[in-house]
Amino acid sequence: MARYKQNWIFIFVFFSIFGLLFYIYEAETYTYLCESESNAPACYLLSKKYESSGELSKSDRYLHVACDKKYDRACEIIKNEIKK
C-alpha cells in the first residue's frame, strides 16, 4: 500500500477515535472545565447541553454560574428571562 494511503488511514482513524471519545465524555469535559478551571464558556455550553436534554434545573444552575463568571451571553439570557 502506498505511503500516502497509510497516512490518510492513520489520520482518519485517529480523528475518528478522538471524536468518539469527545462525544462520549463531552459533559464530563465541560463539567471539569467549568468547575475546576473556572471556564465560563464551558459553563454556558454545559447549560445548553442540559437544556437540550430536558434537565432544566441543571441548565439553570450552570447558566447562573456562567453569568457569575462574567460571561455576557449567559447574563443576557438571564436578563431576558426575567423580563418575560
Side-chain angles (χ1 to χ4, degrees):
M1 185 181 298
R3 182 76 177 160
Y4 73 92
K5 288 182 181 178
Q6 290 176 346
N7 289 341
W8 279 109
I9 290 171
F10 173 77
I11 290 170
F12 175 76
V13 169
F14 175 78
F15 281 107
S16 296
I17 291 171
F18 185 76
L20 179 64
L21 288 174
F22 180 75
Y23 178 75
I24 292 171
Y25 295 108
E26 181 180 12
E28 289 84 359
T29 303
Y30 289 146
T31 302
Y32 171 78
L33 290 172
C34 176
E35 295 176 357
S36 299
E37 302 292 325
S38 295
N39 188 319
C43 297
Y44 176 74
L45 290 173
L46 195 56
S47 168
K48 290 299 178 185
K49 181 167 181 59
Y50 282 128
E51 182 181 1
S52 67
S53 67
E55 298 179 57
L56 299 179
S57 62
K58 286 184 179 180
S59 172
D60 191 48
R61 175 180 173 262
Y62 284 111
L63 190 64
H64 281 85
V65 169
C67 184
D68 291 343
K69 293 180 182 184
K70 310 294 186 219
Y71 192 67
D72 293 333
R73 180 67 183 138
C75 295
E76 290 174 12
I77 292 173
I78 291 172
K79 287 178 187 176
N80 289 339
E81 288 177 359
I82 293 172
K83 288 181 182 179
K84 289 182 180 179

